[in-house]
Amino acid sequence: MYWFSTGVALLAALGIIAIGLMYLTDPRAATRSFGLPLPEAGANVAWWLRLKGVRDIVSGLVVLAVMAWGGSRVLGIVLMVEALIPAGDLSLILAARGSAARALGIHGATAVLMIAGAIPLIIGAA
């Protein structure tokens, strides 16, 4: 179970860092995959989207730092807390009447996987 949980943590960290890098390098392309329509055109839209990229990269780095210097229980807690991000994304996309398939298939699945990886770490079963 430990390998599953740490694998989920590593996958989540590297995945969100990769997404963050996409938001920094090509924010409009990254936004198309999110599940919401593109924001209105404007000179500063890409910069607002890049803010999301920075935050995504830092979220992934937090998980990697805890994997390196924290313990299993702390890693589980961080994974559980960070699972609120894709769960929140899911709810916001559904509320905005965005793509339900992307909301559930990407964000919902990510939240469930992160929670499934976090629980064994928190309870000491991993």
Side-chain angles (χ1 to χ4, degrees):
M1 189 58 87
Y2 177 78
W3 293 109
F4 168 77
S5 295
T6 55
V8 166
L10 184 60
L11 181 64
L14 295 178
I16 200 61
I17 289 170
I19 290 167
L21 290 171
M22 286 179 15
Y23 270 94
L24 288 178
T25 60
D26 194 354
R28 290 202 176 270
T31 303
R32 283 186 194 93
S33 69
F34 190 78
L36 288 173
L38 286 172
E40 296 176 18
N44 291 317
V45 169
W47 294 109
W48 283 103
L49 296 174
R50 285 184 177 103
L51 288 174
K52 179 187 176 337
V54 170
R55 284 156 177 75
D56 286 350
I57 291 168
V58 171
S59 292
L61 291 175
V62 166
V63 173
L64 293 178
V66 171
M67 287 180 76
W69 296 292
S72 294
R73 187 156 194 256
V74 174
L75 177 60
I77 292 167
V78 167
L79 270 182
M80 186 68 77
V81 170
E82 286 203 7
L84 292 170
I85 297 170
D89 292 346
L90 177 148
S91 64
L92 292 172
I93 292 168
L94 293 178
R97 299 178 196 255
S99 170
R102 286 193 178 139
L104 296 169
I106 297 170
H107 306 287
T110 300
V112 167
L113 188 59
M114 290 174 74
I115 292 166
I119 291 171
L121 292 168
I122 292 169
I123 66 173

